[in-house]
Every structure is written in structure tokens, then in C-alpha cells.
Amino acid sequence: MKHIKAEALTSRRLSKADRRQQLLDTALQIIREEGGDRLTLGHLAIRAGVSKPVAYEHFGTRSALLIALYKALDLRQTNALKQALSAGERNLAETADLLAAAYINCAVDTGGEWHAIGAALAGSEEKGAVLQELLDGYVQLFASVLVPFSELSPAELARRCVGLVGAGEALSAAMVQGTYTESDAANTFAALIRGGVSAAR
């Protein structure tokens, strides 16, 4: 009884936003320690020390939880990219090197969890739409960073950034699988960025 009362007090101390973040952090911990198949709302509630209705109130379904995790990892990756690019003036080569290194490094940081969540979402109708939303965000970020170095039309630059982001995803996946080192993947990606922005149509 004392344990239940203490748990209830802990639950009341957290705001809704803080509770959601605690649940997301616990869900990532479950994926790291036990694998994506073990992540259910019921198991999340037990690991987080809350009642099952609390977990369902925040996410509703397992797919919604997985998508929230996908977006949380993506936000972390996007913020890291923006932070890496925020300071100082650079030429195209320096910008390409930094952009590529930051993008590939983010895949190192989130690789295991990212792929585990993706595997757990396999077959979900929402997965394709969510992935496209996230990739569109990266295309916009790349285009905004590279536009000062490009004489291409905005539409053409955007199309090339679609290809660049696709290449970055492929190189990141190959690196996580051990096909390439982080350095090799980043150097290749930087070369593609430089070529994609400066090449004539």
C-alpha cells in the first residue's frame, strides 16, 4: 500500500509533458536493453512505475508510441545538425564536410534504436507517412543550408536535396551495418553534397 501511495505521489509530481518524456525515455531504454519486440504499453507502464492507463492515455496504441519515439529521435538528430551548422561562416567544402559529418554521426548515436523502432513498425500503415514527413524535413534543412552556395533554381536544388538525403540515409544504414566506417561514410557523403550543389544541370 505504501508503495502504491508513493507511486501515485510521484505520478502527480510530473506534469503531463514531463510524464510523456519520462515514458519516451523509458521506452528507449527498453529497446536498448530488451529489443523492440518487448516494447508494449503494458511493459512500458511497469518499467516506468506507472499504471497501465497512464501509458495508454499518453500514446493510445503501440504504433503511436513507436511513432512518437521515431519523431523524438528525429528531433534530436535535427537539433544536433542545426547546432553543428549554427556557428561561423563557411565555404561550400567546409559546409558539406560539416553537414555530412553531423548527419552520419547522428546515425551513430541513434542507429540501434532507430532501426529497432523501424523494424517494430514494419507493416504499419502510419510508418510510410511518418518516414516521408521526416525525410521532407531533412530535404528542407539541406536546401536552406546549401542555397547560399548554389546557382540552381529553388525547385532544382530541392530535387537534388531529395537525392542527397536519400544518399545520406543509404550511407548511414550501410555504416550502421558495418559496411563502411563513420569516416568513410561521411567523406563520401560530403563529396556527393559538393557535387550535387555545384554540378550544372
Side-chain angles (χ1 to χ4, degrees):
M1 180 67 73
K2 288 182 180 178
H3 174 70
I4 294 172
K5 286 182 179 179
E7 182 182 305
L9 284 171
T10 302
S11 296
R12 281 198 293 270
R13 284 194 199 107
L14 292 179
S15 68
K16 187 167 185 177
D18 288 341
R19 175 64 66 196
R20 180 182 175 86
Q21 187 58 55
Q22 182 223 3
L23 291 170
L24 289 173
D25 291 342
T26 303
L28 279 177
Q29 191 174 2
I30 291 170
I31 288 174
R32 289 190 198 107
E33 296 174 359
E34 305 178 52
D37 291 342
R38 286 284 291 149
L39 181 60
T40 64
L41 289 172
H43 187 50
L44 172 61
I46 293 169
R47 286 287 303 266
V50 300
S51 64
K52 191 181 291 188
V54 171
Y56 276 90
E57 178 188 350
H58 281 272
F59 302 108
T61 65
R62 180 172 183 265
S63 289
L65 168 61
L66 290 166
I67 287 168
L69 283 172
Y70 235 26
K71 290 185 174 182
L73 287 176
D74 175 76
L75 180 61
R76 192 169 83 192
Q77 185 169 340
T78 302
N79 288 340
L81 274 170
K82 289 178 178 177
Q83 185 174 0
L85 294 161
S86 63
E89 293 186 10
R90 303 175 192 86
N91 58 29
L92 173 58
E94 292 167 336
T95 299
D97 286 344
L98 187 59
L99 184 58
Y103 193 92
I104 298 296
N105 183 256
C106 285
V108 174
D109 290 343
T110 62
E113 296 97 337
W114 184 263
H115 290 288
I117 295 167
L121 270 171
S124 164
E125 291 182 8
E126 304 101 319
K127 182 182 177 183
V130 171
L131 277 177
Q132 191 58 56
E133 177 189 334
L134 302 185
L135 289 174
D136 288 347
Y138 285 113
V139 169
Q140 293 172 10
L141 176 60
F142 270 55
S144 67
V145 169
L146 295 172
V147 70
F149 310 106
S150 175
E151 295 181 358
L152 300 167
S153 70
E156 178 64 15
L157 178 60
R159 284 192 291 271
R160 293 194 185 197
C161 287
V162 170
L164 291 174
V165 169
E169 286 295 299
L171 286 165
S172 296
M175 179 206 59
V176 169
Q177 292 166 4
T179 306
Y180 307 122
T181 65
E182 180 179 350
S183 176
D184 285 343
N187 289 337
T188 299
F189 193 24
L192 291 172
I193 293 170
R194 291 192 297 271
V197 171
S198 59
R201 182 170 185 179

